[in-house]
């Protein structure tokens, strides 16, 4: 499903190291999709005339992997230090402090949690495809050109940027930088400047991706795998200590060079990236179920058993039995009470994104066909899910395109000022903790990117959001205390103690922020006046 | 949901709330002509409760029969089963379920009222009656006048039955009446949709419910007069309840076969705590483990499995019931959500096998010369020691407690006076009281957050 992972990772052929003993974790054949097609959101299955003739696993011989992994050692040779003005970050040094670089260590049986999972599932994590797929990369040995110590180390360079066998040599040349994303992709390098593709890349692990075998099954969770916290791309990215810079963050000379050479760069602001990310999250949460259903039904089911509980909203079942409850007050919409539902966390942010994209904003209405299906039978009938997903996915795709097409121009400051208001308003209406947390993260990211308000006002808003929504990530970088509670645990604790009033109240913006004194009158819906430009 | 300060009260509330059964939603709705007619009351409680019949004043000098309806009206929550449909909680539930006014909904009324649901529109008169006389004693249309005459006493049970009268003198007859709503059947069903909307969970154990029911009859000549009354009530009750539970599961699985789309899996068949537990591992010690099942597999009703296992310690024929219970649990652990016809047929067959075995056991126990539960504490000890991981759930602990309490309760002497609800704490003994308090649910929650299986079993081993 993710651009590069789908094509270039050879991953999904079960090799000797990827033999899986868990029925629910068997790897399904990779379905290759061209990244540019992905941009316009034409998924492979979407063209099928009927749900019934769906899954027919993609013929692998037609999609022979063209690229294989070099191993991070090759990257580190250069990227461990600054590469001049264009690349003035010590990339791999930053990555060393990034939790991704240690993700493979979780596969070692020395960890008590890993040992418990291995015992409960009767597996060895390091040999299990569905574990390896996220904790290193879904590559089987044939994909690796040369066995080096770092080839399987964590989520490394090539996991996100694409397998390097073909682009490694060319990318050493100066002119590489000025090639178009399509030209780079042709050699296997992913366009992570595209917010939609980057979100898809991150979500393939942070949410899951059936095609590349990245599914944390319910059995894995029940055996002890930590729950995956709701994902927000921009906040997560910043928590990594980014090892990249946008072109406008680089030196004036580089910017001038870039402009002269027609250097392809991203145009999306932080908030725009976040909104696109939310829409991709919504899309992936639907597609994940559809893909899984396809892999479990049809003439040749790809070894998945239906239903897989992990594809549905955890909170739909895992909640306290009490009346009255936040869950009941939030209502079930048109869903029959007590039915498993799709993930809710992408919805409220996606609704803001849809409004920005000029698309209908009622996500519940958008997913009404899904609700009808889940009302007919808990978990829905696998063979029908593709059918009911078509229209919602089309609309989400249109919203992503509309947002991605927005140019970065002088109107940005005003757009962001209004976005802050809209995000805060959505937060004040929020109906569940995880949705509110996503809105909070994006609000904070947008504020920090927005030049309109005095720093102390922004700091106050950030402070009031951070505590109740647990927005803080574990500290990254060198010399951090080893005994920090894991992020998933702080997320759970915060969700358990959250109450609606304090969560919604955290989104109350100070008066002066809502309407800065002395600013000219508003021409929008009267929600305030334009802030100062950047 | 539970405001109970201690477990005794939790059980008490459980009875009250569980009296409020209802029917399947949103589909398949039972066709009206399939609704049972036996329970309907064309005359209403008013015809029984005149002051010269069953509605006389309470008093030690009167025959209980003369104020049976008075007790029912004053003390018995069944009399308020229809009123509850007007409460905010019921209205909120009905709104969530999209079924209109609950006091006009046949799905609610099948259990909450005693009236002819064939009538269109439904008459409002009988509504106020709630679960009235006819709900248990049978439709009085044909025997109302007869039963006041001397000849009535000379009529055989079969003759009375032919007139629509239900004999309730034995535990078996009683439990078979209760389970219609307190467990459910094809036409009376509390499914997970209803539970999620706010309906209390149904947890039925006949002997405890019977103790809680304000007695509006004289014990003379009835089961109460026998020395092993409570023990027999427990044993017969568990067997007959298992039969009803298995029949309901059979109905649910059969519906999923018959209809192209039905509500399967039915979450109400599964352990609440299997799913409704905090994420991240910790936080809830109550756990229903199925040996050999994949982690994260919900278990089939630990409440009933525990009942089956405890019953299995009693008699040779009960072992067959226990084996069937375990087989059903194992079958559902392997495939609890699959909607393939073949799998559903297997569930139907296994449920039928359990129902048949439990039904026949309930008859046997009902006719056995003597039921003795004296060995229960030792039998429980052996049972728990042989597979401790299977006795970690709150449900199994409550069932264990109820078995121990039934074993301790005696015959008629402990009944209390007419209209009296339940034996007070002092009668159960200090060890049992401590055990009961360890099962207490947290205020405002139905999740047994504070339940500690190790502590429970340590306290249990001290019960004499």
């Amino acid at each position: 499903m993710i651009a590069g992972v789908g094509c270039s990772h050879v991953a999904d052929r079960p090799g000797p190291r990827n033999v899986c003993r868990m029925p629910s974790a068997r790897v399904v054949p990779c379905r290759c999709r061209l990244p540019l097609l992905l941009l316009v959101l034409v998924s492979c299955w979407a063209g099928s005339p009927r749900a019934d003739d769906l899954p027919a696993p993609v013929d692998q011989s037609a999609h022979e992997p063209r690229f294989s992994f070099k191993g991070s050692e090759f990257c580190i040779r250069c990227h461990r230090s600054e590469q001049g003005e264009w690349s003035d970050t010590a990339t791999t040094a930053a990555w060393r402090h990034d939790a991704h670089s240690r993700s493979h260590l979780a596969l070692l049986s020395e960890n008590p949690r890993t040992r418990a999972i291995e015992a409960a599932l009767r597996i060895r994590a390091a040999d299990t495809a569905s574990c390896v797929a996220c904790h290193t990369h879904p590559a089987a040995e044939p994909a690796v050109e040369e066995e080096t110590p770092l080839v399987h180390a964590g989520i490394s360079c090539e996991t996100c940027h694409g397998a390097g066998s073909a682009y490694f040599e060319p990318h050493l040349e100066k002119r590489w930088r000025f090639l178009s994303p399509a030209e780079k992709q042709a050699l296997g390098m992913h366009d992570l400047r595209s917010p939609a593709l980057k979100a898809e890349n991150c979500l393939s692990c942070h949410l899951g991706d059936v095609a590349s075998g990245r599914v944390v099954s319910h059995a894995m969770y029940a055996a002890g795998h930590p729950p995956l916290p709701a994902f927000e791309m921009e906040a997560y990215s910043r928590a990594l200590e980014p090892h990249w810079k946008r072109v406008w963050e680089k030196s004036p000379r580089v910017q001038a060079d870039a402009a002269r050479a027609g250097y392809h760069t991203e145009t999306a602001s932080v908030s725009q990236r976040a909104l696109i990310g939310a829409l991709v999250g919504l899309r992936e949460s639907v597609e994940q179920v559809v893909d899984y259903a396809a892999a479990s039904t049809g003439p040749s089911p790809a070894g998945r058993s239906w239903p897989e509980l992990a594809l549905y909203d955890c909170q739909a079942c895992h909640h306290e039995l009490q009346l009255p409850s936040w869950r009941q007050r939030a209502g079930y919409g048109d869903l029959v009470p007590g039915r498993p539902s799709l993930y809710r966390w992408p919805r409220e942010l996606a609704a803001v994104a849809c409004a920005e994209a000029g698309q209908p904003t009622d996500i519940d209405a958008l997913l009404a066909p899904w609700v009808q299906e889940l009302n007919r039978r808990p978990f829905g009938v696998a063979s029908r899910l593709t059918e009911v997903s078509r229209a919602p996915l089309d609309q989400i795709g249109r919203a992503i395109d509309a947002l991605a097409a927005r140019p970065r121009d002088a109107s940005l400051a005003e757009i962001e000022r209004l976005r802050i208001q809209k995000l805060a308003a959505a937060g004040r209406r929020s109906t569940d903790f995880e949705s509110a947390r996503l809105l909070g993260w994006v609000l904070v990211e947008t504020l920090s990117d927005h030049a309109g308000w005095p720093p102390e006002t922004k700091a106050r808003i950030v402070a009031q959001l951070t505590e109740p929504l647990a927005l803080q990530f574990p500290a990254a970088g060198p010399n951090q205390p080893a005994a920090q509670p894991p992020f998933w645990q702080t997320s759970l604790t915060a969700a358990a103690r959250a109450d609606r009033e304090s969560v919604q109240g955290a989104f109350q913006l100070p008066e002066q922020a809502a309407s800065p004194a002395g600013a000219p009158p508003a021409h929008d819906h009267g929600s305030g006046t334009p802030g100062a430009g950047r | 949901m539970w405001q109970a300060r201690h477990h005794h009260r939790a059980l008490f509330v459980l009875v009250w709330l569980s009296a409020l059964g209802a029917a399947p939603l949103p589909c398949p709705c039972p066709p009206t002509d399939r609704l049972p007619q036996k329970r309907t009351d064309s005359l209403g409680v008013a015809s029984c409760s005149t002051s010269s019949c069953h509605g006389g004043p309470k008093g030690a000098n009167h025959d209980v029969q003369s104020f049976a309806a008075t007790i029912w009206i004053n003390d018995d929550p069944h009399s308020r089963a229809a009123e509850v449909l007007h409460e905010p909680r019921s209205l909120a539930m009905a709104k969530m379920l999209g079924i209109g006014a609950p006091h006009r909904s046949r799905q609610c009324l099948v259990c909450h009222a005693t009236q002819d649901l064939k009538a269109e529109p439904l008459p409002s008169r009988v509504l106020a009656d709630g679960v009235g006389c006819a709900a248990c004693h049978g439709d009085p249309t044909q025997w109302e006048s007869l039963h006041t005459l001397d000849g009535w006493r000379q009529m055989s049970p079969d003759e009375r039955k032919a007139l629509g009268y239900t004999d309730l003198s034995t535990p078996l007859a009683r439990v078979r009446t209760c389970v219609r709503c307190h467990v459910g059947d094809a036409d009376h069903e509390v499914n997970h949709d209803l539970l999620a909307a706010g309906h209390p969970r149904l947890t039925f154990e006949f002997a405890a419910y019977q103790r809680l029911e304000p007695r509006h009859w004289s014990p003379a000549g009835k089961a109460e007069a026998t020395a092993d009354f409570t023990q027999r009530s427990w044993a017969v009750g568990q067997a007959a309840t298992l039969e009803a539970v298995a029949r309901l599961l059979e109905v649910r699985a059969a519906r999923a076969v018959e209809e192209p789309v039905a509500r399967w899996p039915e979450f109400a068949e599964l352990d609440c705590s299997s799913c409704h537990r905090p994420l991240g591992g910790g936080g809830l010690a109550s756990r229903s483990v199925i040996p050999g099942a994949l982690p994260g597999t919900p278990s089939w009703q630990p409440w009933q499995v525990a009942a089956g296992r405890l019953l299995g310690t009693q008699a040779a024929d009960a072992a067959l019931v226990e084996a069937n219970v375990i087989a059903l649990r194992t079958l559902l652990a392997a495939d609890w959500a699959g909607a393939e016809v073949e799998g559903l047929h297997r569930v139907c067959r296994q449920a039928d096998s359990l129902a048949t075995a439990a039904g026949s056991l309930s008859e046997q126990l009902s006719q056995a010369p003597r039921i003795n539960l004296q060995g229960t504490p030792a039998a429980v000890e052996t049972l728990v020691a042989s597979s401790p991981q299977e006795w970690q759930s709150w449900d199994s602990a409550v069932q264990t407690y109820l078995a121990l309490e039934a074993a301790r309760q005696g015959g008629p002497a402990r009944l209390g006076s007419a209209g009296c609800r339940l034996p007070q704490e002092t009668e159960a003994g200090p060890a049992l009281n401590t055990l009961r308090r360890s099962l207490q649910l947290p205020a405002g929650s139905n999740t047994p957050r504070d339940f500690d299986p190790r502590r429970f079993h340590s306290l249990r081993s001290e019960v004499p």
Side-chain angles (χ1 to χ4, degrees):
Chain A
M1 180 164 310
I2 125 151
V5 174
C7 307
S8 58
H9 293 200
V10 213
D12 308 314
R13 287 187 311 193
R17 286 169 62 95
N18 282 14
V19 176
C20 176
R21 296 182 209 143
M22 261 192 317
S24 59
R26 224 167 291 150
V27 172
V28 297
C30 167
R31 272 181 293 151
C32 179
R33 292 178 212 173
L34 287 173
L36 291 178
L37 282 181
L38 259 171
L39 262 179
V40 288
L41 191 64
V42 178
S43 313
C44 292
W45 52 263
S48 313
R50 287 183 53 79
D52 305 337
D53 52 22
L54 219 196
V58 172
D59 177 11
Q60 265 201 297
S61 61
H63 296 266
E64 271 308 307
R66 290 170 298 163
F67 313 117
S68 49
F69 283 90
K70 295 288 288 184
S72 308
E73 293 203 329
F74 286 91
C75 315
I76 289 172
R77 285 173 196 172
C78 295
H79 290 282
R80 65 184 162 199
S81 59
E82 295 88 344
Q83 302 295 300
E85 274 188 291
W86 269 92
S87 178
D88 58 0
T89 314
T91 310
T92 53
W95 172 72
R96 290 286 196 188
H97 301 304
D98 178 336
H100 287 109
S101 70
R102 297 184 296 276
S103 57
H104 63 300
L105 301 180
L107 297 175
L108 303 176
S109 307
E110 282 86 334
N111 302 302
R113 178 175 290 275
T114 309
R115 209 162 43 240
I117 296 174
E118 290 179 326
L121 297 174
R122 294 189 284 278
I123 56 164
R124 228 190 110 223
D127 294 341
T128 303
S130 50
C131 304
V132 172
C134 285
H135 284 276
T136 69
H137 46 65
E141 256 140 330
V144 178
E145 277 196 335
E146 195 181 330
E147 194 69 31
T148 57
L150 283 176
V151 139
H152 297 291
I155 302 300
S156 57
C157 314
E158 292 168 282
T159 323
C160 299
H161 292 280
S165 59
Y167 71 73
F168 181 75
E169 296 290 336
H171 103 288
L172 302 175
E173 292 176 33
K174 210 168 180 181
R175 63 177 208 95
W176 171 262
R177 179 169 290 137
F178 301 103
L179 296 182
S180 71
E183 288 168 307
K184 291 178 180 174
Q185 178 62 56
L187 292 173
M189 183 182 273
H190 301 162
D191 180 19
L192 296 177
R193 294 197 178 96
S194 154
L197 292 181
K198 180 181 167 186
E200 196 174 310
N201 186 22
C202 302
L203 287 162
S204 69
C205 288
H206 285 277
L207 176 75
D209 174 46
V210 179
S212 56
R214 291 157 157 160
V215 176
V216 185
S217 69
H218 190 257
M220 288 161 78
Y221 283 125
H225 192 288
L228 302 180
F231 180 79
E232 199 292 296
M233 176 169 68
E234 286 308 296
Y236 271 55
S237 293
R238 204 148 73 116
L240 293 183
E241 294 207 334
H243 55 260
W244 61 87
K245 276 183 178 172
R246 271 94 199 206
V247 74
W248 60 83
E249 294 166 338
K250 296 181 180 181
S251 76
R253 212 169 61 129
V254 167
Q255 292 192 41
D257 278 359
R260 230 182 355 262
Y263 176 63
H264 173 85
T265 184
E266 59 191 308
T267 54
S269 67
V270 169
S271 61
Q272 194 164 333
R273 297 175 67 81
L275 294 178
I276 292 173
L279 288 167
V280 175
L282 182 62
R283 183 188 75 195
E284 296 299 309
S285 70
V286 173
E287 282 198 341
Q288 189 182 212
V289 189
V290 172
D291 288 353
Y292 197 97
S296 67
T297 54
S300 49
R304 302 283 192 181
S305 66
W306 183 261
E308 170 50 59
L309 274 57
L311 305 175
Y312 295 83
D313 188 9
C314 310
Q315 316 291 343
C317 300
H318 293 282
H319 60 81
E320 175 108 12
L321 294 171
Q322 60 185 7
L323 280 176
S325 66
W326 189 358
R327 173 165 179 76
Q328 273 213 334
R329 273 199 294 171
Y332 294 91
D334 291 326
L335 190 67
V336 171
R339 298 296 172 95
S341 56
L342 288 168
Y343 283 110
R344 287 203 67 81
W345 57 260
R347 291 193 194 186
E348 295 184 3
L349 189 55
V352 176
C354 283
E356 293 275 304
Q359 297 286 328
T361 58
D362 187 343
I363 306 294
D364 289 342
L366 175 69
L367 296 174
W370 258 90
V371 168
Q372 280 165 19
E373 190 55 30
L374 295 176
N375 281 350
R376 285 155 59 86
R377 178 165 230 158
F379 305 110
V381 176
S383 57
R384 292 180 43 85
L385 294 182
T386 308
E387 197 63 40
V388 300
S389 304
R390 210 156 278 164
L393 288 174
D394 283 350
Q395 191 190 315
I396 298 167
R398 282 196 296 276
I400 294 174
D401 292 346
L403 271 184
R406 287 276 174 80
R408 183 182 177 85
D409 58 22
S411 63
L412 181 66
E414 173 59 7
I415 288 175
E416 296 218 321
R417 192 190 64 78
L418 293 173
R419 246 172 221 169
I420 290 170
Q421 299 294 344
K422 288 173 192 164
L423 290 165
R428 290 193 295 273
R429 291 190 304 268
S430 189
T431 55
D432 79 305
F433 174 79
E434 288 193 318
S435 305
R437 196 180 195 203
L438 254 62
L439 290 163
W441 268 323
V442 179
L443 185 50
V444 166
E445 293 302 318
T446 311
L447 270 174
S448 64
D449 198 42
H450 179 60
W453 293 326
E456 59 275 18
T457 308
K458 295 206 278 191
R460 201 158 63 241
I461 301 173
V462 171
Q464 82 187 27
L465 285 164
T466 301
E467 208 277 320
L469 294 170
L471 299 186
Q472 197 71 48
F473 288 89
N479 309 320
Q480 290 303 325
Q484 296 184 82
F487 180 60
W488 63 267
Q489 206 154 57
T490 48
S491 302
L492 284 182
T493 315
R497 60 149 203 260
D499 69 285
R500 183 158 72 167
E501 283 66 33
S502 57
V503 165
Q504 292 183 341
F507 286 90
Q508 209 63 47
L509 296 185
E511 281 296 315
Q512 71 220 62
S515 50
H523 54 268
D524 58 280
H525 314 304
S527 62
T529 51
R534 289 174 74 92
Chain B
M1 181 182 323
W2 305 101
Q3 298 300 330
R5 304 310 299 171
H6 56 75
H7 182 65
H8 214 157
R9 177 129 174 250
L11 276 179
F12 192 65
V13 173
L14 208 96
V15 178
W16 277 199
L17 296 178
S18 303
L20 329 172
L25 275 174
C27 68
C29 305
T32 321
D33 56 8
R34 268 173 54 205
L35 291 174
Q37 296 308 299
K38 194 174 148 198
R39 307 182 53 249
T40 63
D41 184 358
S42 45
L43 303 171
V45 173
S47 72
C48 313
S49 58
T50 56
S51 58
S52 57
C53 295
H54 297 294
K58 275 205 240 180
N61 300 328
H62 306 290
D63 183 0
V64 183
Q65 266 191 28
S66 72
F67 56 90
T70 312
I71 291 174
W72 177 84
I73 287 166
N74 288 329
D75 305 316
D76 193 325
H78 289 106
S79 68
R80 291 182 284 285
E83 279 171 47
V84 83
L85 297 178
H86 295 273
E87 288 179 3
R89 176 184 183 165
S90 306
L91 299 176
M93 281 178 60
K95 194 173 167 200
M96 267 184 259
L97 294 164
I99 55 169
H103 66 280
R104 291 267 164 211
S105 160
R106 286 182 161 81
Q107 290 153 340
C108 304
L109 292 172
V110 284
C111 284
H112 282 265
T114 320
Q115 72 185 103
D116 185 356
L117 297 175
K118 272 181 129 179
E120 189 64 60
L122 295 173
S124 57
R125 179 181 64 85
V126 203
L127 268 185
D129 280 0
V131 178
C133 314
C136 305
H137 295 283
D139 187 347
T141 319
Q142 292 184 64
W143 52 265
E144 190 222 10
S145 45
L146 273 177
H147 90 293
T148 62
L149 305 176
D150 282 348
W152 180 255
R153 290 187 190 281
Q154 273 78 59
M155 282 173 79
S156 73
D158 284 345
E159 285 170 317
R160 292 179 184 185
K161 194 178 173 186
L163 294 172
Y165 176 82
T166 308
D167 174 66
L168 294 171
S169 60
T170 66
L172 185 58
R174 292 177 192 177
V175 67
R176 284 186 171 160
T177 305
C178 304
V179 292
R180 208 164 39 205
C181 290
H182 286 281
V183 170
D185 59 27
D187 304 312
H188 308 73
E189 194 188 350
V190 176
N191 58 31
H192 189 261
D193 296 350
L194 275 168
L195 296 173
H199 196 286
R201 180 189 165 195
L202 303 188
T203 42
F204 185 67
E205 192 280 287
F206 173 67
Y209 273 49
Q210 186 174 244
R211 279 201 297 282
L212 294 169
E213 168 83 352
R215 183 166 57 80
H216 61 254
W217 58 91
S218 160
K222 308 226 169 51
E224 278 86 349
T226 57
D228 60 355
F229 168 61
T230 313
Q231 285 97 326
R232 191 183 300 270
S233 293
W234 180 85
V236 170
Q238 293 289 33
T241 301
L242 273 169
E243 181 189 10
V245 164
R247 287 283 171 231
L248 178 58
L249 172 60
E250 192 187 2
V251 163
R252 285 166 165 166
R255 270 201 304 239
V257 174
E258 282 164 19
E259 298 170 28
V261 189
R263 28 180 1 285
W264 186 267
E266 171 51 66
F267 298 126
E269 286 289 341
L270 306 170
D271 177 17
C272 306
S273 291
S274 279
C275 301
H276 298 297
R277 56 190 308 116
L279 289 169
L284 194 60
S286 174
R287 198 171 273 280
S288 51
V289 177
I290 313 169
L294 204 63
T297 306
S299 8
W300 180 66
Q301 312 209 27
W303 180 267
Q304 302 302 343
V305 173
R309 304 214 73 165
L310 291 163
L311 197 57
T313 65
Q314 296 308 317
D317 283 352
L320 180 62
V321 171
E322 186 187 7
N324 271 293
V325 165
I326 300 302
L328 189 52
R329 180 182 70 171
T330 309
L331 182 64
L332 285 167
D335 184 17
W336 61 275
E340 286 75 29
V341 172
E342 205 180 304
L344 290 165
H345 277 315
R346 273 197 296 271
V347 174
C348 284
R349 280 196 299 274
Q350 185 53 52
D352 174 57
S353 168
L354 171 59
T356 309
S360 124
L361 178 65
S362 68
E363 301 270 5
Q364 277 177 38
L365 291 168
S366 180
Q367 282 154 24
R370 171 88 201 203
I371 302 283
N372 188 347
L373 300 185
Q374 290 313 310
T376 301
V380 167
E381 185 65 48
T382 312
L383 204 53
V384 175
S386 69
S387 56
Q389 78 279 13
E390 287 189 57
W391 295 89
Q392 305 293 304
S393 69
W394 182 83
D395 282 27
S396 68
V398 177
Q399 282 282 20
T400 306
Y401 163 77
L402 292 170
L404 292 172
E405 186 168 321
R408 192 185 161 79
Q409 292 288 331
R414 289 179 188 273
L415 278 174
S417 58
C420 186
R421 279 200 186 106
L422 52 146
Q424 295 307 299
E425 282 220 347
T426 47
E427 291 182 49
L432 269 179
N433 288 333
T434 313
L435 194 61
R436 183 175 56 214
R437 281 193 292 272
S438 77
L439 294 166
Q440 179 190 329
L441 293 167
S445 172
N446 207 11
T447 302
R449 252 186 286 128
D450 308 328
F451 171 68
D452 175 1
R454 279 210 311 219
R455 176 162 178 265
F456 173 82
H457 286 296
S458 140
L459 291 171
R460 177 193 52 75
S461 61
E462 287 164 25
V463 173

